[in-house]
Amino acid sequence: MFPFCFEWKWDPDHIIFLGLLYLALTIIALGLTVAFIKTWIELPLEEKGEPPAQLAYRKRYSEY
Amino acid sequence: MSGKKKEGKHKYGMVIDLDKCTGCGTCMVACAAENNVSVQPDESDKQRSIAWMLIYKITNGKKFPDTEVCYFPRPCFHCENTPCVSVCPATATDVDPETGIVSQIYSRCIGCRYCQAACPYHARTFNWWHAYFPTTSWGPLHSESLQKLYSWWEGRPPRSKGLERYLSPEVSVRMRGVVEKCSFCHHRLMRAKEKAYMEGRRELEEHEYITACAEACPAQAITFGDLKNPNHKVSKLVKDPRAFRILERLGTEPKVYYLSSKDWVRRMADNYLEGEFEQKIKVKKTG
Amino acid sequence: MESALIPEGVKRCSPKVFFLWTLPWLGLLAWGAVSAFLCLYKGLNQTNMSNYFAFALWIVFDLAVIALGAGAFFTGFLTYIIGKKELKDIINSAVIIGFICYSGAVAMLGIDIGQPLRGWFIFWHVNVHSMLAEVSFCITCYLGVLAIEYIPIILENRKLEEIKELRLFGHNLHEIMAIFAGTGTFLSFFHQGSLGGLFGVMFARPFAYREGFYIWPWTFFLFVLSAIAAGPSFTILCTKLAEKLGRKRLVPENAYQLLAKISGYLLALYIVFKIADTLGWAYGVVPEAGLRLMDFYREGPYGFWLVVAEIGIFGIIPAIILLVPQARKSEGWLIIGCLMNCTGIVLNRFVFTIVTLAIPVMPFDRFVSYLPTWQEWGVALAVLGYGFLLYSLSYRYLPLFPRERELNPVIE
């Protein structure tokens, strides 16, 4: 799984397989981070009594 | 998706002369003793018993007096094109390119049994129970009734035989929940290599490394050696017109060859469509 | 007090009725817990698996629930990536069904391996050439994605939504759901495929072996296609069951119709490829191994009827039912079509797992039979109990169906 595991070889098979895995994990992690950061930014917005329409989710998902 | 690797210097293999094999089972016993193959609580359940070397009995299906019987001793074939190695998710089995021996790392095996499913020879067996060697005492349980209760719960007979004293220190005992198989007595190779190294040699003599089954066979039906060394007996025997391998057409390239002068035996080793099987052997019986 | 947790404006049964409803499922879970304990403590000797049947009931169940749970990723893909708006009314249900199927499968696999404590070796010491490694990686990651997709639904619970941080976080997750849905689609494509590849690469088992494209045998693609054909049908079935039990409409008809139509088209496409694959195998792999097609169907109960049932009865017929608009618009036919579709896929997974191992390859080998023990049934059926329980809890306490209020106005 990591270059320091003794099965690891620097061959295309390992690079493609684990490269794609780490890419998927990175995307998931980044997605979660974005959600956390946005929540953090939007928290004071609601506190100040701004109209809810300014919140991102209200703009995009009016049906919810 | 095959386990084919680039080849090294040696290619250890085996030739089993079925014309000589009497089906006595010495190879199985020798193998089990050499490799610490454990006893199962229910040895009548042959689908779950552990045997690195197993003897299959086949007959020509004819009625008396034309009935003929033959025995196929079956170790792991240490295929060159392994069906098992490439499927193992945890790299618990591998081919040593230097020797061609297919290893099994017991402490690495997670027990998913995918290798068992992939091997058409049933050369791999799973430890459905704890390894069991009847011992003289049983850990903290000295009370006999407690031992009986525990053995009932564990589903194995109580220990009282002292069999653990006969275990080989060179071969690790396998734990419950892992797959094991014939290793071509790999520890004997290690032992022979160490001895050769101590004596300042880099190459092994033919007799220095042979498997326990080959050594024990009273009929001398099993020959073991380096298929790549033209001086070794095995590399000559595989060129015998009687030589064949089991399920050769699947492309697994087993390193265990069989010799038989009987066409019906050779016919039983693989699947053939009508008219495909060539009767190569003109002589009916040797000797 | 409990009513404060129930979504606003919808009607749910009384706590007493709900408690009684959960009892059978709790019973299944208890049976599963005892079985799992025995298997973990005493070992896999508690099962009827053997050196011949290395894979058995649990793997069939695993493959089946993972194929049926494909509705989650595929509906997510259609909703968030393709932009099929009408599926928003059913996506929550699909996600929960997917989560149940995948978490159940992973739990079952944890008991199925001989050394559960070494499960992490698959990741740490990965053999990148193993299809099972690909399956494990993708399923684990995708289970994470499903959990992320499930979180916003949980956070919509009436009481949880009152907590501002959670509410905002849930909505923010929901907003970027397309990213997760896309990753989930990628991961699902590969694990659904690898589950097929698992069998297709076994070149020494002519019953399962298939040639293919690059490193992927044809079964790789067939498993993906069959999963996305059956997944939406299973989503329809589960949601219809929830409607029947709750005696109300939960999802507008157009969502069902769209899913059923897609399911029908994909099933038809799958059946065409499956027939082509079967013919290619029967005339390619099989004679090359020195066998005739009928050699595989002589052993035990596994006759040629399996092919007829899998491709004909549970393949072509449901495809026709789901493709004909008049048929799928009738609720009865829609349910029959979906049910047959799902049965066909389960049968396919059964054939690849059990029949592959049951048929001896060595000519002098013999056929051995296998019947699961009560412990094996216990663990497998516990997934069913767990599924009913989780879905019921989610339905009761979370606003799963955005249009439920509109479709069932509460008359005061």
Side-chain angles (χ1 to χ4, degrees):
Chain A
M1 193 174 182
F2 301 108
F4 51 79
C5 292
F6 75 86
E7 306 87 350
W8 180 279
K9 288 184 200 97
W10 285 104
D11 59 4
D13 305 1
H14 276 76
I15 293 166
I16 294 171
F17 183 94
L18 291 158
L20 286 174
L21 169 82
Y22 290 130
L23 181 71
L25 285 176
T26 313
I27 292 172
I28 296 169
L30 278 179
L32 281 176
T33 317
V34 166
F36 273 117
I37 293 173
K38 283 185 103 172
T39 311
W40 188 57
I41 292 171
E42 283 170 2
L43 270 178
L45 271 183
E46 221 188 27
E47 262 172 16
K48 281 176 202 157
E50 296 274 338
Q54 281 207 345
L55 298 176
Y57 73 86
R58 291 275 184 228
K59 275 187 275 180
R60 226 171 283 179
Y61 286 91
S62 53
E63 66 264 43
Y64 285 104
Chain B
M1 292 290 293
S2 66
K4 213 159 195 170
K5 298 252 168 83
K6 67 169 189 256
E7 285 189 18
K9 216 167 145 195
H10 305 285
K11 193 165 97 177
Y12 288 103
M14 194 181 269
V15 178
I16 304 174
D17 193 335
L18 301 181
D19 292 340
K20 285 182 185 167
C21 176
T22 61
C24 69
T26 309
C27 52
M28 284 177 69
V29 176
C31 170
E34 176 82 15
N35 292 297
N36 297 338
V37 173
S38 93
V39 186
Q40 302 295 300
D42 179 8
E43 276 294 348
S44 69
D45 185 357
K46 286 299 160 204
Q47 289 175 41
R48 282 182 176 187
S49 68
I50 298 178
W52 288 15
M53 172 65 110
L54 188 68
I55 296 179
Y56 285 86
K57 178 186 175 183
I58 61 166
T59 77
N60 61 353
K62 288 185 184 164
K63 282 192 178 160
F64 178 82
D66 300 318
T67 314
E68 282 185 41
V69 174
C70 181
Y71 299 92
F72 269 116
R74 189 238 54 212
C76 168
F77 291 158
H78 295 266
C79 305
E80 265 179 77
N81 194 8
T82 51
C84 51
V85 168
S86 58
V87 302
C88 176
T91 332
T93 177
D94 209 353
V95 195
D96 179 1
E98 266 308 295
T99 58
I101 294 175
V102 178
S103 63
Q104 178 73 17
I105 311 168
Y106 313 119
S107 52
R108 172 76 66 81
C109 175
I110 61 162
C112 72
R113 305 182 297 283
Y114 189 12
C115 56
Q116 280 192 297
C119 174
Y121 306 111
H122 297 294
R124 292 171 162 272
T125 48
F126 184 73
N127 282 271
W128 300 98
W129 283 271
H130 287 292
Y132 165 61
F133 302 98
T135 56
T136 40
S137 69
W138 201 348
L141 300 174
H142 293 296
S143 146
E144 203 180 313
S145 48
L146 263 181
Q147 280 199 20
K148 272 187 185 159
L149 186 73
Y150 191 62
S151 67
W152 167 79
W153 172 245
E154 285 277 280
R156 55 185 179 189
R159 307 173 171 197
S160 61
K161 303 281 196 273
L163 199 70
E164 87 284 4
R165 290 197 297 259
Y166 299 92
L167 289 179
S168 162
E170 284 179 302
V171 183
S172 65
V173 174
R174 279 74 60 185
M175 59 293 282
R176 185 184 91 188
V178 303
V179 169
E180 62 178 72
K181 65 164 202 75
C182 154
S183 64
F184 266 176
C185 292
H186 192 263
H187 57 284
R188 289 186 170 216
L189 172 65
M190 292 291 111
R191 194 199 297 160
K193 270 178 152 180
E194 273 171 29
K195 186 168 170 274
Y197 186 81
M198 293 305 284
E199 289 166 4
R201 289 179 289 127
R202 289 294 174 271
E203 292 302 322
L204 299 179
E205 296 292 321
E206 186 177 3
H207 67 273
E208 278 186 304
Y209 167 43
I210 58 166
T211 56
C213 52
E215 189 178 49
C217 179
Q220 296 189 17
I222 306 177
T223 316
F224 185 81
D226 185 357
L227 293 165
K228 274 198 171 167
N229 189 330
N231 299 321
H232 280 205
K233 209 176 157 194
V234 279
S235 57
K236 289 170 193 149
L237 283 173
V238 296
K239 293 186 188 116
D240 190 306
R242 295 180 299 150
F244 64 94
R245 294 177 287 182
I246 294 183
L247 296 178
E248 211 161 338
R249 51 195 301 173
L250 294 182
T252 53
E253 304 279 328
K255 287 199 275 286
V256 175
Y257 290 74
Y258 292 91
L259 302 177
S260 177
S261 56
K262 296 182 178 107
D263 270 329
W264 72 266
V265 174
R266 292 158 28 75
R267 174 77 179 73
M268 287 287 266
D270 213 331
N271 296 301
Y272 294 98
L273 293 174
E274 224 164 287
E276 273 186 339
F277 180 69
E278 273 178 64
Q279 299 210 336
K280 279 186 195 162
I281 314 295
K282 301 295 172 209
V283 209
K284 258 205 156 177
K285 274 177 189 169
T286 51
Chain C
M1 194 172 144
E2 188 241 12
S3 60
L5 291 166
I6 291 171
E8 231 170 320
V10 298
K11 207 168 165 287
R12 294 287 181 265
C13 62
S14 70
K16 198 175 148 194
V17 173
F18 185 71
F19 174 69
L20 288 175
W21 158 254
T22 57
L23 281 183
W25 316 121
L26 286 172
L28 278 185
L29 274 184
W31 177 13
V34 172
S35 310
F37 169 76
L38 283 173
C39 292
L40 293 174
Y41 185 74
K42 296 184 81 171
L44 291 177
N45 52 58
Q46 298 295 304
T47 69
N48 259 347
M49 287 190 275
S50 66
N51 293 324
Y52 279 72
F53 284 98
F55 293 162
L57 179 77
W58 291 339
I59 299 289
V60 177
F61 248 73
D62 263 334
L63 295 191
V65 294
I66 285 175
L68 297 174
F73 98 81
F74 192 57
T75 316
F77 171 74
L78 292 172
T79 315
Y80 297 108
I81 313 281
I82 305 286
K84 295 274 177 201
K85 286 243 187 267
E86 51 269 59
L87 294 182
K88 278 206 167 114
D89 299 324
I90 202 168
I91 180 75
N92 290 349
S93 178
V95 163
I96 291 174
I97 294 163
F99 182 80
I100 290 166
C101 289
Y102 279 79
S103 48
V106 170
M108 212 161 22
L109 277 177
I111 298 160
D112 188 45
I113 58 174
Q115 287 279 343
L117 292 178
R118 293 183 193 165
W120 59 282
F121 283 10
I122 297 185
F123 306 100
W124 196 262
H125 299 298
V126 60
N127 169 16
V128 294
H129 300 117
S130 170
M131 283 286 168
L132 194 55
E134 200 171 310
V135 170
S136 313
F137 273 76
C138 292
I139 286 187
T140 318
C141 293
Y142 183 55
L143 185 58
V145 171
L146 276 171
I148 293 171
E149 290 183 11
Y150 194 3
I151 288 171
I153 309 174
I154 298 173
L155 296 183
E156 275 176 19
N157 171 276
R158 222 163 103 190
K159 280 287 155 197
L160 289 177
E161 215 177 21
E162 285 172 11
I163 305 163
K164 189 176 59 190
E165 287 84 353
L166 293 182
R167 180 179 65 238
L168 275 174
F169 180 62
H171 284 294
N172 280 326
L173 267 187
H174 202 195
E175 198 195 335
I176 52 166
M177 206 43 89
I179 296 172
F180 297 116
T183 321
T185 305
F186 167 80
L187 292 168
S188 291
F189 177 82
F190 277 98
H191 75 242
Q192 296 287 359
S194 312
L195 281 172
L198 212 68
F199 298 100
V201 296
M202 296 202 292
F203 64 90
R205 292 271 187 183
F207 184 77
Y209 177 56
R210 296 291 190 280
E211 271 145 4
F213 168 73
Y214 188 43
I215 57 165
W216 297 292
W218 296 129
T219 46
F220 183 97
F221 305 101
L222 285 173
F223 267 53
V224 177
L225 200 51
S226 61
I228 57 175
S233 280
F234 190 65
T235 309
I236 295 175
L237 278 182
C238 292
T239 317
K240 282 273 177 202
L241 185 67
E243 281 191 349
K244 295 282 162 222
L245 292 169
R247 290 191 217 98
K248 61 169 88 165
R249 288 200 67 80
L250 298 170
V251 175
E253 190 59 25
N254 63 348
Y256 285 128
Q257 288 302 316
L258 181 64
L259 272 189
K261 192 170 86 179
I262 292 170
S263 197
Y265 274 112
L266 289 171
L267 183 62
L269 191 67
Y270 164 68
I271 288 299
V272 171
F273 282 124
K274 174 76 189 168
I275 292 170
D277 169 71
T278 308
L279 289 174
W281 164 75
Y283 288 103
V285 174
V286 179
E288 260 171 49
L291 293 157
R292 285 166 305 158
L293 180 66
M294 291 315 285
D295 289 340
F296 293 120
Y297 300 105
R298 278 204 306 249
E299 302 283 1
Y302 309 127
F304 196 70
W305 66 270
L306 277 171
V307 181
V308 177
E310 189 198 325
I311 298 176
I313 300 170
F314 296 109
I316 296 171
I317 295 175
I320 293 170
I321 295 173
L322 294 175
L323 278 181
V324 177
Q326 288 89 338
R328 69 166 181 264
K329 276 184 184 136
S330 127
E331 195 179 38
W333 282 111
L334 176 69
I335 290 174
I336 291 172
C338 290
L339 207 55
M340 288 177 86
N341 182 358
C342 294
T343 312
I345 260 59
V346 174
L347 193 59
N348 171 265
R349 301 322 193 233
F350 168 83
V351 167
F352 266 106
T353 312
I354 299 293
V355 184
T356 299
L357 297 182
I359 296 170
V361 188
M362 292 190 288
F364 51 85
D365 209 354
R366 66 205 164 92
F367 173 83
V368 297
S369 61
Y370 156 79
L371 272 180
T373 56
W374 65 266
Q375 290 94 328
E376 286 179 86
W377 282 116
V379 170
L381 292 178
V383 176
L384 195 74
Y386 157 72
F388 265 97
L389 214 54
L390 194 63
Y391 196 91
S392 307
L393 284 169
S394 302
Y395 171 66
R396 188 171 175 82
Y397 298 116
L398 308 174
L400 284 197
F401 302 100
R403 303 277 290 275
E404 187 186 351
R405 227 181 316 175
E406 184 188 318
L407 290 167
N408 308 277
V410 180
I411 302 145
E412 295 289 335

